[in-house]
Amino acid sequence: MENMDWGALGFDYRKTDANVRYYYTDGKWSEMEVTGDEYIKIHMSASCLHYGIELFEGLKAFRGVDGKVRLFRVEENAKRLQSSAERLCLPVPTIEMIVKACVEVVKRNEKYIPPYGTGASLYLRPVMFGTTAGLGVKPAKDALLIVYCSPVGAYFKDGIKPISVAIDREQDRAAPRGTGDVKVGGNYASSLLSGENGHKLGYSNIMYLDAAEHKYIEECGACNFFGIKEGKYITPKSSSVLPSITNKSLRQLARDMGLEVEDRLIPVEELPTFEECGGCGTAAVISPIGKIFDMQTNDIYEYGTEVGKVCMELYTRLQDIQYGRAEDKYNWCTIVE
């Protein structure tokens, strides 16, 4: 890929050489199929198109300082994919199937893994959906699991910097006991309107509150939220928040740094007490928050224009593991050879 401008890549799809697929029909999974075809052929009455029987995952492979390629916490993504499949009554692939598919995709597209030092990485997107043709609302008997990839650029082109976030109390992302804790497309579709409204006002992300009382912080756009104060790393505990693998990793690193970790309800009124706060997820690792604006109350919470010390250390520690600059003492990385 000599002509690729790795530094110019954004977070978007670029064609690669191969993707892998598993088909579920007649009560069993097929062998893994490797193809260069970017398209799928499904019936116009397929259940995924009408009833949202669809899920996905996102993870990254990194070319390290030592030249080795590392897949970050692929087994955790596989477990979360299983949870999503169970919730949607889809056939549940094994962890071994999912991991094997991810490793194969990395191997088959090795030339698209950005060089170390560019800040870019190879993003993997497992996606699964029901393909049974029919009209009634019922579980799909047939399914397709695809894993494909695309090189993506550094989230912060000019270095990590704080973002501005808006609270929207007039739209909910997910209801209690709904699908907020699994990675299904409907959760993201429901966030589009408020997201667009926020972007028009100049805000990067929308902060969602709990759907029942609109008192407690839940997701921050497509990210988990966390706040730092008094030597504590605090993140929302809710049945409608997606269990972020990045957040899970940061909680462990926070403990390593001597911080106390709290998973609990976070009322909006607590926002002024945080010394630092941010969103966390696969794309950016950490998006430090510099400002939060409440679109309904006009309250403004500000945390400064510079990245906080704790956010910066957490970000650096996690990136050091992903790029092989630090010991992977928790065995989070899978070396692809």
Side-chain angles (χ1 to χ4, degrees):
M1 301 300 293
E2 295 133 8
N3 299 323
M4 179 74 79
D5 184 356
W6 301 106
L9 291 175
F11 191 77
D12 205 352
Y13 173 77
R14 284 178 178 261
K15 187 180 187 305
T16 54
D17 289 343
N19 62 84
V20 303
R21 305 179 182 193
Y22 291 102
Y23 297 86
Y24 188 87
T25 53
D26 299 323
K28 62 182 184 297
W29 287 102
S30 69
E31 293 298 313
M32 185 172 70
E33 174 190 293
V34 180
T35 178
D37 192 354
E38 298 173 276
Y39 294 89
I40 54 176
K41 185 177 181 179
I42 58 174
H43 197 281
M44 62 184 177
S45 199
S47 51
C48 61
L49 301 177
H50 301 266
Y51 303 118
I53 306 177
E54 181 273 347
L55 60 91
F56 68 100
E57 276 297 325
L59 65 156
K60 285 182 177 179
F62 303 84
R63 194 181 298 280
V65 65
D66 54 2
K68 294 180 179 178
V69 176
R70 292 168 171 81
L71 255 178
F72 187 68
R73 305 204 75 172
V74 60
E75 290 195 358
E76 290 298 317
N77 284 95
K79 291 174 186 174
R80 195 169 66 182
L81 188 151
Q82 287 184 320
S83 296
S84 299
E86 288 172 356
R87 184 67 63 84
L88 296 186
C89 297
L90 280 165
V92 181
T94 66
I95 289 176
E96 291 74 22
M97 284 172 58
I98 302 164
V99 172
K100 180 182 178 183
C102 290
V103 170
E104 190 68 24
V105 163
V106 173
K107 287 181 176 180
R108 297 267 183 169
N109 297 288
E110 191 272 340
K111 69 183 182 185
Y112 296 96
I113 304 171
Y116 174 75
T118 61
S121 57
L122 187 71
Y123 181 83
L124 277 70
R125 171 58 61 85
V127 59
M128 180 176 162
F129 40 87
T131 56
T132 304
L135 289 177
V137 181
K138 56 189 174 183
K141 299 194 301 274
D142 313 285
L144 174 57
L145 169 62
I146 301 175
V147 180
Y148 67 93
C149 67
S150 176
V152 296
Y155 189 86
F156 294 107
K157 299 281 187 194
D158 302 314
I160 184 172
K161 57 185 178 182
I163 63 170
S164 296
V165 171
I167 296 172
D168 187 356
R169 299 167 185 262
E170 293 185 347
Q171 187 169 353
D172 300 324
R173 171 188 162 271
R177 299 187 295 275
T179 58
D181 61 333
V182 289
K183 202 166 178 68
V184 299
N187 296 341
Y188 298 83
S190 67
S191 72
L192 292 175
L193 181 60
S194 57
E196 285 301 294
N197 290 339
H199 291 157
K200 289 174 185 176
L201 294 173
Y203 293 93
S204 302
N205 283 22
I206 293 295
M207 182 176 287
Y208 296 98
L209 306 183
D210 73 290
E213 300 181 85
H214 298 106
K215 290 181 179 179
Y216 303 101
I217 296 167
E218 292 217 328
E219 291 273 59
C220 185
C223 302
N224 275 192
F225 173 83
F226 68 89
I228 306 293
K229 70 173 183 179
E230 299 167 355
K232 297 176 181 178
Y233 178 101
I234 304 166
T235 193
K237 184 175 183 177
S238 167
S239 63
S240 51
V241 168
L242 183 72
S244 162
I245 294 160
T246 303
N247 196 357
K248 185 175 183 178
S249 306
L250 291 175
R251 290 200 294 266
Q252 182 57 61
L253 295 177
R255 293 186 188 98
D256 292 349
M257 290 164 54
L259 297 173
E260 183 181 341
V261 174
E262 292 183 357
D263 299 300
R264 61 169 173 80
L265 294 174
I266 304 177
V268 176
E269 291 74 19
E270 192 172 353
L271 282 175
T273 70
F274 289 122
E275 298 153 19
E276 304 175 34
C277 59
C280 58
T282 299
V285 180
I286 289 176
S287 296
I289 295 174
K291 174 184 175 182
I292 300 173
F293 170 65
D294 192 317
M295 294 168 69
Q296 279 70 51
T297 68
N298 291 323
D299 289 327
I300 296 174
Y301 310 95
E302 299 194 79
Y303 304 95
T305 56
E306 301 295 325
V307 181
K309 181 181 176 182
V310 176
C311 281
M312 196 70 226
E313 184 169 352
L314 285 167
Y315 175 83
T316 301
R317 285 186 179 225
L318 189 55
Q319 289 266 277
D320 284 349
I321 294 169
Q322 291 172 331
Y323 284 105
R325 297 188 294 251
E327 180 189 0
D328 179 20
K329 63 181 181 179
Y330 299 111
N331 295 315
W332 287 342
C333 298
T334 298
I335 305 292
V336 179
E337 295 176 313

